[in-house]
Amino acid sequence: MKLGIVGLPNVGKSTLFNALTSAGAEAANYPFATIEPNVGVVNVPDERLEVLSEISNSERIVYTNIEFYDIAGLVKGASKGEGLGNQFLSNIREVDAIVHVVRCFDDENIIHVDGSIDPIRDIENINLELIFSDLEQVDNRYSKVVKKARAEKSLAKERDLLEKIKTALEEGKSAREVELDDEKEKIIKNYSLLSAKPVIYVCNVAEEELTKDDNEYVKKVREYAEKTGDEVVVISAEIEAEIAALDDDEKELFLEELGLDSSGLDKLIKSSYRLLGLISFITTGEMETRAWTIKRGSKAPTAAGKIHTDMERGFIKADTISYKDLVEAGSVAKARDKGLIRSEGKEYVVEDGDVIVFKFNV
Ligand SMILES: Nc1nc2c(ncn2[C@@H]2O[C@H](COP(=O)(O)OP(=O)(O)OP(=O)(O)O)[C@@H](O)[C@H]2O)c(=O)[nH]1
Ligand SMILES: [Mg+2]
Protein backbone atom coordinates (compact mmCIF):
# COMPACT_ATOMS: atom_id res chain seq x y z
CA MET A 1 0.00 0.00 0.00
CA LYS A 2 1.58 3.27 -1.01
CA LEU A 3 0.84 6.97 -1.04
CA GLY A 4 2.01 9.42 -3.67
CA ILE A 5 3.12 12.93 -2.70
CA VAL A 6 1.65 15.10 -5.43
CA GLY A 7 1.51 18.85 -6.13
CA LEU A 8 2.86 21.73 -8.22
CA PRO A 9 6.64 21.97 -8.69
CA ASN A 10 8.66 23.64 -5.92
CA VAL A 11 5.95 23.53 -3.21
CA GLY A 12 7.91 21.34 -0.77
CA LYS A 13 7.06 17.78 -1.76
CA SER A 14 10.61 16.45 -1.51
CA THR A 15 11.14 18.45 1.68
CA LEU A 16 8.10 16.74 3.17
CA PHE A 17 9.29 13.38 1.89
CA ASN A 18 12.62 13.94 3.65
CA ALA A 19 10.84 14.85 6.86
CA LEU A 20 8.85 11.62 6.65
CA THR A 21 11.66 9.28 5.67
CA SER A 22 14.95 11.05 6.48
CA ALA A 23 15.94 9.75 3.05
CA GLY A 24 17.81 12.87 1.94
CA ALA A 25 16.08 13.22 -1.41
CA GLU A 26 17.06 16.27 -3.41
CA ALA A 27 15.01 19.30 -2.37
CA ALA A 28 15.96 22.42 -4.29
CA ASN A 29 14.64 25.86 -5.08
CA TYR A 30 13.78 25.28 -8.72
CA PRO A 31 10.83 23.58 -10.42
CA PHE A 32 11.19 19.94 -11.50
CA ALA A 33 14.03 19.16 -9.11
CA THR A 34 12.46 15.71 -8.80
CA ILE A 35 12.09 13.60 -11.92
CA GLU A 36 12.30 9.93 -10.97
CA PRO A 37 10.09 9.20 -7.94
CA ASN A 38 11.81 8.73 -4.55
CA VAL A 39 10.47 5.85 -2.50
CA GLY A 40 10.57 5.60 1.30
CA VAL A 41 9.15 3.39 4.04
CA VAL A 42 7.69 5.15 7.07
CA ASN A 43 6.80 3.70 10.49
CA VAL A 44 3.24 4.38 11.57
CA PRO A 45 3.40 5.94 15.06
CA ASP A 46 1.21 4.07 17.55
CA GLU A 47 1.34 5.03 21.23
CA ARG A 48 -0.63 1.90 22.12
CA LEU A 49 2.43 -0.22 21.37
CA GLU A 50 4.53 1.64 23.94
CA VAL A 51 1.88 1.14 26.62
CA LEU A 52 1.44 -2.56 25.85
CA SER A 53 5.17 -3.21 25.71
CA GLU A 54 5.37 -1.87 29.29
CA ILE A 55 2.56 -4.16 30.38
CA SER A 56 4.12 -7.22 28.70
CA ASN A 57 7.72 -6.27 29.48
CA SER A 58 8.54 -6.73 25.79
CA GLU A 59 12.09 -6.76 24.50
CA ARG A 60 11.19 -4.71 21.46
CA ILE A 61 8.46 -2.84 19.66
CA VAL A 62 7.75 -3.38 15.97
CA TYR A 63 5.73 -0.69 14.25
CA THR A 64 3.88 -1.26 11.05
CA ASN A 65 4.71 0.89 8.04
CA ILE A 66 3.50 2.47 4.82
CA GLU A 67 5.30 3.55 1.68
CA PHE A 68 5.52 7.10 0.35
CA TYR A 69 6.40 8.05 -3.23
CA ASP A 70 7.79 11.53 -3.83
CA ILE A 71 6.58 12.29 -7.34
CA ALA A 72 7.65 14.93 -9.87
CA GLY A 73 5.73 18.22 -9.81
CA LEU A 74 2.71 18.65 -12.07
CA VAL A 75 1.83 21.81 -13.95
CA LYS A 76 -1.21 23.04 -15.85
CA GLY A 77 -1.37 21.27 -19.21
CA ALA A 78 0.53 18.25 -17.90
CA SER A 79 -2.05 15.82 -19.25
CA LYS A 80 -1.31 17.32 -22.67
CA GLY A 81 2.43 16.94 -22.24
CA GLU A 82 3.37 20.23 -20.49
CA GLY A 83 6.16 20.14 -17.90
CA LEU A 84 7.18 16.54 -17.42
CA GLY A 85 3.99 15.57 -19.17
CA ASN A 86 2.46 12.16 -18.91
CA GLN A 87 5.41 10.51 -17.25
CA PHE A 88 4.47 11.49 -13.70
CA LEU A 89 0.83 10.65 -14.35
CA SER A 90 1.81 7.00 -14.68
CA ASN A 91 3.70 7.36 -11.36
CA ILE A 92 0.48 8.56 -9.76
CA ARG A 93 -1.49 5.70 -11.29
CA GLU A 94 0.59 3.24 -9.25
CA VAL A 95 -0.27 4.67 -5.83
CA ASP A 96 -3.30 3.83 -3.69
CA ALA A 97 -3.89 7.31 -2.28
CA ILE A 98 -2.66 10.87 -2.76
CA VAL A 99 -1.01 13.31 -0.36
CA HIS A 100 -1.55 16.61 -2.14
CA VAL A 101 0.95 19.26 -0.97
CA VAL A 102 -0.31 22.83 -1.25
CA ARG A 103 1.92 25.85 -0.81
CA CYS A 104 0.50 27.99 1.99
CA PHE A 105 3.61 30.01 2.88
CA ASP A 106 4.85 33.38 1.67
CA ASP A 107 8.53 33.52 0.76
CA GLU A 108 9.70 35.70 -2.08
CA ASN A 109 12.88 33.69 -2.37
CA ILE A 110 11.06 30.48 -3.27
CA ILE A 111 9.85 30.39 -6.86
CA HIS A 112 6.16 29.71 -7.45
CA VAL A 113 5.56 28.38 -10.98
CA ASP A 114 2.49 30.59 -11.36
CA GLY A 115 4.05 33.70 -9.84
CA SER A 116 1.80 34.12 -6.79
CA ILE A 117 0.47 32.24 -3.76
CA ASP A 118 -3.06 31.01 -4.37
CA PRO A 119 -3.77 27.59 -2.90
CA ILE A 120 -7.23 27.08 -4.41
CA ARG A 121 -6.01 27.92 -7.92
CA ASP A 122 -3.12 25.49 -7.35
CA ILE A 123 -5.35 22.70 -6.07
CA GLU A 124 -7.78 23.11 -8.94
CA ASN A 125 -4.99 23.10 -11.51
CA ILE A 126 -3.69 19.79 -10.19
CA ASN A 127 -7.13 18.25 -9.81
CA LEU A 128 -8.05 19.27 -13.36
CA GLU A 129 -4.96 17.57 -14.77
CA LEU A 130 -5.95 14.37 -13.01
CA ILE A 131 -9.49 14.75 -14.33
CA PHE A 132 -8.30 15.38 -17.92
CA SER A 133 -6.11 12.33 -17.81
CA ASP A 134 -9.03 10.23 -16.52
CA LEU A 135 -11.37 11.66 -19.12
CA GLU A 136 -9.08 10.53 -21.90
CA GLN A 137 -9.04 7.03 -20.48
CA VAL A 138 -12.78 6.89 -19.86
CA ASP A 139 -13.53 8.25 -23.34
CA ASN A 140 -11.42 5.53 -24.93
CA ARG A 141 -13.05 2.78 -22.96
CA TYR A 142 -16.50 4.28 -23.49
CA SER A 143 -16.34 4.24 -27.28
CA LYS A 144 -15.22 0.61 -27.22
CA VAL A 145 -17.91 -0.45 -24.75
CA VAL A 146 -20.69 1.37 -26.60
CA LYS A 147 -19.92 -0.58 -29.77
CA LYS A 148 -19.57 -3.92 -28.03
CA ALA A 149 -22.63 -3.41 -25.83
CA ARG A 150 -24.87 -3.59 -28.90
CA ALA A 151 -24.03 -7.27 -29.26
CA GLU A 152 -23.14 -8.11 -25.65
CA LYS A 153 -25.94 -7.20 -23.29
CA SER A 154 -23.75 -7.83 -20.25
CA LEU A 155 -21.75 -4.69 -21.04
CA ALA A 156 -24.74 -2.39 -20.65
CA LYS A 157 -23.99 -1.88 -16.98
CA GLU A 158 -20.42 -0.82 -17.65
CA ARG A 159 -21.56 1.48 -20.43
CA ASP A 160 -24.02 3.26 -18.11
CA LEU A 161 -21.39 3.53 -15.44
CA LEU A 162 -18.87 5.02 -17.84
CA GLU A 163 -21.49 7.48 -19.02
CA LYS A 164 -22.10 8.62 -15.47
CA ILE A 165 -18.40 9.07 -14.74
CA LYS A 166 -17.75 10.75 -18.08
CA THR A 167 -20.46 13.31 -17.36
CA ALA A 168 -19.00 14.08 -13.94
CA LEU A 169 -15.46 14.44 -15.31
CA GLU A 170 -16.69 16.70 -18.07
CA GLU A 171 -18.23 18.94 -15.41
CA GLY A 172 -14.80 19.15 -13.76
CA LYS A 173 -15.70 16.79 -10.91
CA SER A 174 -13.33 14.14 -9.58
CA ALA A 175 -14.35 10.51 -10.07
CA ARG A 176 -14.38 10.05 -6.28
CA GLU A 177 -17.25 12.53 -6.03
CA VAL A 178 -19.52 10.20 -8.04
CA GLU A 179 -21.75 8.07 -5.81
CA LEU A 180 -21.48 4.40 -6.74
CA ASP A 181 -22.72 1.12 -5.32
CA ASP A 182 -20.23 -1.61 -4.38
CA GLU A 183 -20.50 -3.46 -7.67
CA LYS A 184 -19.82 -0.35 -9.73
CA GLU A 185 -17.04 0.63 -7.38
CA LYS A 186 -15.38 -2.67 -8.28
CA ILE A 187 -15.62 -2.01 -12.03
CA ILE A 188 -14.17 1.47 -11.64
CA LYS A 189 -11.26 0.13 -9.53
CA ASN A 190 -10.06 -1.70 -12.65
CA TYR A 191 -9.45 1.58 -14.46
CA SER A 192 -7.32 2.95 -11.57
CA LEU A 193 -8.57 6.46 -12.27
CA LEU A 194 -6.37 9.16 -10.76
CA SER A 195 -9.22 11.34 -9.59
CA ALA A 196 -10.87 8.34 -7.88
CA LYS A 197 -7.99 7.95 -5.43
CA PRO A 198 -8.54 9.22 -1.90
CA VAL A 199 -6.78 12.50 -1.05
CA ILE A 200 -5.37 14.34 1.95
CA TYR A 201 -4.49 17.99 1.44
CA VAL A 202 -1.27 19.02 3.19
CA CYS A 203 -0.95 22.74 3.77
CA ASN A 204 2.75 23.58 3.81
CA VAL A 205 3.01 26.67 6.05
CA ALA A 206 5.90 28.77 7.33
CA GLU A 207 7.44 27.70 10.61
CA GLU A 208 6.08 30.77 12.49
CA GLU A 209 2.54 29.84 11.49
CA LEU A 210 2.58 26.50 13.24
CA THR A 211 1.87 27.86 16.71
CA LYS A 212 -0.77 30.31 15.46
CA ASP A 213 -4.34 29.96 14.20
CA ASP A 214 -4.84 28.92 10.58
CA ASN A 215 -3.63 31.55 8.11
CA GLU A 216 -5.89 32.78 5.30
CA TYR A 217 -4.49 30.23 2.85
CA VAL A 218 -5.17 27.32 5.17
CA LYS A 219 -8.69 28.55 5.90
CA LYS A 220 -9.44 28.52 2.17
CA VAL A 221 -8.08 25.00 1.75
CA ARG A 222 -10.21 23.78 4.66
CA GLU A 223 -13.32 25.32 3.12
CA TYR A 224 -12.52 23.71 -0.22
CA ALA A 225 -11.81 20.28 1.25
CA GLU A 226 -14.96 20.32 3.34
CA LYS A 227 -17.06 20.39 0.17
CA THR A 228 -15.49 17.19 -1.11
CA GLY A 229 -15.17 15.62 2.36
CA ASP A 230 -11.37 15.39 2.15
CA GLU A 231 -9.03 15.70 5.11
CA VAL A 232 -6.57 18.58 5.70
CA VAL A 233 -3.30 18.45 7.63
CA VAL A 234 -1.17 21.53 8.36
CA ILE A 235 2.57 21.10 8.39
CA SER A 236 5.78 23.08 7.97
CA ALA A 237 7.80 20.81 5.73
CA GLU A 238 11.07 22.65 6.07
CA ILE A 239 11.17 22.68 9.86
CA GLU A 240 9.95 19.08 9.98
CA ALA A 241 12.80 18.04 7.66
CA GLU A 242 15.30 19.83 9.90
CA ILE A 243 13.87 18.16 12.99
CA ALA A 244 13.90 14.74 11.36
CA ALA A 245 17.63 15.05 10.75
CA LEU A 246 18.39 15.51 14.49
CA ASP A 247 19.00 12.72 17.01
CA ASP A 248 16.40 12.15 19.73
CA ASP A 249 17.91 14.36 22.47
CA GLU A 250 18.54 17.26 20.13
CA LYS A 251 15.06 16.82 18.77
CA GLU A 252 13.40 17.28 22.14
CA LEU A 253 15.43 20.39 22.94
CA PHE A 254 14.76 21.93 19.56
CA LEU A 255 11.03 21.26 19.72
CA GLU A 256 10.87 22.76 23.20
CA GLU A 257 12.69 25.88 22.01
CA LEU A 258 10.21 26.28 19.18
CA GLY A 259 7.24 25.54 21.42
CA LEU A 260 6.21 22.69 19.13
CA ASP A 261 5.56 18.99 19.25
CA SER A 262 6.02 16.71 16.25
CA SER A 263 2.27 16.11 16.09
CA GLY A 264 1.95 17.48 12.54
CA LEU A 265 3.98 14.74 10.94
CA ASP A 266 2.50 12.02 13.17
CA LYS A 267 -0.96 13.22 12.32
CA LEU A 268 -0.17 13.13 8.62
CA ILE A 269 1.16 9.56 8.79
CA LYS A 270 -1.84 8.37 10.81
CA SER A 271 -4.27 10.10 8.46
CA SER A 272 -2.48 8.55 5.48
CA TYR A 273 -2.86 5.11 7.04
CA ARG A 274 -6.59 5.65 7.54
CA LEU A 275 -6.89 7.07 4.03
CA LEU A 276 -5.60 3.77 2.66
CA GLY A 277 -8.42 2.01 4.53
CA LEU A 278 -5.97 0.30 6.87
CA ILE A 279 -6.22 -0.62 10.56
CA SER A 280 -3.86 -2.37 12.98
CA PHE A 281 -4.29 -5.32 15.25
CA ILE A 282 -1.68 -5.97 17.91
CA THR A 283 0.22 -8.95 19.30
CA THR A 284 2.04 -8.56 22.58
CA GLY A 285 4.34 -10.72 24.69
CA GLU A 286 7.79 -10.80 26.26
CA MET A 287 9.54 -11.10 22.91
CA GLU A 288 7.82 -8.20 21.23
CA THR A 289 4.82 -5.92 20.98
CA ARG A 290 3.88 -5.51 17.38
CA ALA A 291 1.31 -3.86 15.12
CA TRP A 292 0.07 -5.65 12.01
CA THR A 293 -1.72 -4.06 9.10
CA ILE A 294 -5.00 -5.27 7.65
CA LYS A 295 -7.67 -3.73 5.46
CA ARG A 296 -10.63 -2.41 7.43
CA GLY A 297 -13.32 -5.10 7.37
CA SER A 298 -10.93 -8.08 7.30
CA LYS A 299 -11.94 -11.22 9.17
CA ALA A 300 -9.89 -13.04 11.81
CA PRO A 301 -8.36 -15.73 9.52
CA THR A 302 -7.08 -13.03 7.12
CA ALA A 303 -5.50 -11.23 10.06
CA ALA A 304 -3.86 -14.50 11.19
CA GLY A 305 -2.48 -14.91 7.66
CA LYS A 306 -0.57 -11.64 8.03
CA ILE A 307 1.54 -13.30 10.72
CA HIS A 308 1.93 -16.63 8.97
CA THR A 309 0.08 -18.42 6.16
CA ASP A 310 -0.05 -21.56 8.37
CA MET A 311 -2.04 -19.62 10.92
CA GLU A 312 -4.64 -18.75 8.34
CA ARG A 313 -4.82 -22.26 6.91
CA GLY A 314 -5.12 -23.94 10.31
CA PHE A 315 -7.15 -21.18 11.95
CA ILE A 316 -9.14 -22.35 15.00
CA LYS A 317 -9.96 -19.18 16.91
CA ALA A 318 -8.76 -15.74 17.86
CA ASP A 319 -8.50 -14.89 21.57
CA THR A 320 -9.27 -11.21 21.41
CA ILE A 321 -9.43 -8.20 23.72
CA SER A 322 -9.68 -4.53 22.85
CA TYR A 323 -6.65 -2.37 23.63
CA LYS A 324 -8.76 -0.29 26.03
CA ASP A 325 -10.04 -3.29 28.01
CA LEU A 326 -6.54 -4.74 28.28
CA VAL A 327 -5.06 -1.51 29.61
CA GLU A 328 -7.92 -1.17 32.10
CA ALA A 329 -7.40 -4.72 33.33
CA GLY A 330 -3.66 -4.09 33.73
CA SER A 331 -2.37 -7.37 32.30
CA VAL A 332 -3.36 -10.29 30.09
CA ALA A 333 -3.64 -12.58 33.14
CA LYS A 334 -5.96 -10.18 34.96
CA ALA A 335 -8.03 -9.69 31.83
CA ARG A 336 -8.41 -13.46 31.54
CA ASP A 337 -9.49 -13.75 35.19
CA LYS A 338 -12.14 -11.14 34.60
CA GLY A 339 -13.38 -13.01 31.52
CA LEU A 340 -12.58 -10.07 29.23
CA ILE A 341 -10.85 -12.16 26.57
CA ARG A 342 -13.30 -13.17 23.89
CA SER A 343 -12.94 -16.32 21.84
CA GLU A 344 -13.70 -15.20 18.27
CA GLY A 345 -14.29 -17.44 15.24
CA LYS A 346 -13.81 -17.33 11.47
CA GLU A 347 -16.46 -14.71 10.84
CA TYR A 348 -15.17 -12.19 13.34
CA VAL A 349 -14.38 -8.81 11.78
CA VAL A 350 -11.19 -7.54 13.40
CA GLU A 351 -11.27 -4.02 14.83
CA ASP A 352 -8.53 -1.45 15.07
CA GLY A 353 -6.57 -1.98 18.30
CA ASP A 354 -7.69 -5.55 18.91
CA VAL A 355 -5.02 -7.46 20.83
CA ILE A 356 -5.09 -11.05 19.56
CA VAL A 357 -3.62 -14.49 20.22
CA PHE A 358 -4.42 -16.90 17.38
CA LYS A 359 -5.00 -20.61 18.00
CA PHE A 360 -4.33 -22.82 15.00
CA ASN A 361 -3.63 -26.38 13.81
CA VAL A 362 -0.32 -27.08 12.12
N1 LIG B 1 10.21 29.08 3.32
C1 LIG B 1 9.93 27.80 3.11
N2 LIG B 1 10.53 27.15 2.11
C2 LIG B 1 10.22 25.87 1.90
C3 LIG B 1 9.27 25.15 2.70
N3 LIG B 1 9.17 23.90 2.23
C4 LIG B 1 10.02 23.82 1.19
N4 LIG B 1 10.66 25.00 0.99
C5 LIG B 1 11.67 25.29 -0.04
O1 LIG B 1 11.07 25.23 -1.31
C6 LIG B 1 12.00 24.74 -2.28
C7 LIG B 1 11.40 23.59 -3.03
O2 LIG B 1 11.25 22.47 -2.16
P1 LIG B 1 11.19 20.98 -2.71
O3 LIG B 1 10.86 20.11 -1.55
O4 LIG B 1 12.35 20.65 -3.55
O5 LIG B 1 9.91 21.11 -3.66
P2 LIG B 1 9.23 19.98 -4.59
O6 LIG B 1 7.76 20.20 -4.45
O7 LIG B 1 9.77 18.65 -4.30
O8 LIG B 1 9.67 20.50 -6.02
P3 LIG B 1 9.86 19.66 -7.42
O9 LIG B 1 10.56 18.37 -7.13
O10 LIG B 1 10.66 20.58 -8.24
O11 LIG B 1 8.49 19.48 -7.93
C8 LIG B 1 13.26 24.36 -1.51
O12 LIG B 1 14.19 25.42 -1.65
C9 LIG B 1 12.78 24.25 -0.07
O13 LIG B 1 13.79 24.56 0.85
C10 LIG B 1 8.66 25.86 3.79
O14 LIG B 1 7.86 25.32 4.55
N5 LIG B 1 9.03 27.18 3.94
MG1 LIG C 1 10.82 17.33 -5.48
Side-chain angles (χ1 to χ4, degrees):
M1 294 304 268
K2 49 200 174 207
L3 294 119
I5 304 177
V6 171
L8 290 181
N10 222 34
V11 295
K13 299 184 298 299
S14 296
T15 309
L16 175 64
F17 176 80
N18 286 339
L20 288 165
T21 63
S22 316
E26 184 184 9
N29 187 15
Y30 54 84
F32 304 119
T34 307
I35 298 176
E36 284 303 315
N38 301 301
V39 186
V41 177
V42 175
N43 275 350
V44 179
D46 191 339
E47 300 78 13
R48 296 173 302 194
L49 301 186
E50 286 123 51
V51 174
L52 291 180
S53 95
E54 287 277 314
I55 291 179
S56 309
N57 217 348
S58 309
E59 275 174 37
R60 57 174 187 157
I61 295 176
V62 183
Y63 296 88
T64 188
N65 52 51
I66 44 178
E67 250 184 304
F68 283 89
Y69 273 43
D70 169 31
I71 296 174
L74 314 188
V75 285
K76 201 170 168 170
S79 56
K80 302 280 173 289
E82 290 289 321
L84 295 177
N86 286 315
Q87 177 190 329
F88 66 82
L89 287 170
S90 61
N91 295 144
I92 302 177
R93 216 169 287 289
E94 288 164 28
V95 303
D96 303 291
I98 291 174
V99 171
H100 184 154
V101 181
V102 188
R103 175 159 170 183
C104 292
F105 64 88
D106 290 306
D107 185 339
E108 283 170 11
N109 297 315
I110 307 292
I111 303 156
H112 189 296
V113 282
D114 290 310
S116 61
I117 314 298
D118 184 344
I120 301 305
R121 172 201 62 199
D122 293 356
I123 289 177
E124 287 186 334
N125 277 343
I126 299 278
N127 286 347
L128 267 180
E129 290 312 318
L130 304 184
I131 289 167
F132 286 150
S133 165
D134 286 348
L135 192 54
E136 204 179 301
Q137 205 186 345
V138 169
D139 271 340
N140 275 339
R141 179 76 195 153
Y142 181 71
S143 27
K144 280 189 200 129
V145 170
V146 166
K147 271 186 223 139
K148 279 198 195 155
R150 288 187 203 123
E152 270 178 71
K153 287 278 169 282
S154 62
L155 284 173
K157 203 179 273 172
E158 185 175 356
R159 181 199 56 208
D160 296 347
L161 170 66
L162 284 165
E163 216 158 60
K164 194 170 170 185
I165 292 175
K166 191 165 135 67
T167 309
L169 294 171
E170 279 164 353
E171 287 167 1
K173 288 200 186 110
S174 293
R176 66 178 184 284
E177 291 177 66
V178 181
E179 301 241 358
L180 300 172
D181 59 33
D182 285 352
E183 193 185 355
K184 288 178 177 158
E185 195 97 43
K186 244 183 223 155
I187 302 177
I188 194 181
K189 270 249 154 69
N190 290 333
Y191 307 141
S192 59
L193 295 179
L194 305 177
S195 73
K197 296 182 194 288
V199 173
I200 299 178
Y201 292 105
V202 174
C203 297
N204 188 12
V205 301
E207 176 195 330
E208 316 80 79
E209 306 273 355
L210 277 180
T211 45
K212 295 186 200 150
D213 289 343
D214 288 349
N215 69 24
E216 289 309 309
Y217 304 134
V218 175
K219 276 187 197 152
K220 283 190 185 139
V221 175
R222 284 199 198 279
E223 250 168 56
Y224 182 90
E226 200 168 326
K227 277 185 276 176
T228 45
D230 297 313
E231 214 172 319
V232 176
V233 176
V234 181
I235 226 163
S236 178
E238 199 161 54
I239 197 74
E240 293 288 357
E242 275 173 39
I243 293 168
L246 302 173
D247 62 40
D248 283 348
D249 293 345
E250 287 176 321
K251 219 177 257 180
E252 235 168 81
L253 265 174
F254 192 53
L255 286 171
E256 219 169 283
E257 249 171 59
L258 294 169
L260 295 176
D261 52 37
S262 61
S263 60
L265 217 47
D266 284 1
K267 191 160 172 245
L268 173 59
I269 301 168
K270 286 180 187 166
S271 302
S272 303
Y273 193 64
R274 270 202 309 275
L275 192 69
L276 291 168
L278 302 176
I279 58 168
S280 299
F281 72 89
I282 304 170
T283 53
T284 184
E286 275 187 27
M287 197 173 77
E288 64 181 24
T289 292
R290 179 167 188 159
W292 304 82
T293 295
I294 47 172
K295 285 232 107 187
R296 184 176 293 285
S298 300
K299 292 183 179 167
T302 309
K306 292 288 163 185
I307 302 178
H308 202 289
T309 44
D310 286 349
M311 287 176 131
E312 181 169 4
R313 217 177 297 128
F315 179 89
I316 301 169
K317 61 181 183 127
D319 287 343
T320 307
I321 181 169
S322 73
Y323 167 76
K324 196 168 149 273
D325 285 351
L326 178 50
V327 173
E328 264 169 28
S331 75
V332 174
K334 282 183 200 154
R336 194 174 297 119
D337 288 347
K338 286 188 181 164
L340 291 171
I341 298 181
R342 293 170 268 129
S343 175
E344 300 286 3
K346 280 190 170 136
E347 291 306 312
Y348 177 66
V349 175
V350 175
E351 288 189 35
D352 186 50
D354 276 351
V355 182
I356 305 183
V357 176
F358 292 104
K359 296 282 157 51
F360 61 104
N361 282 319
V362 269

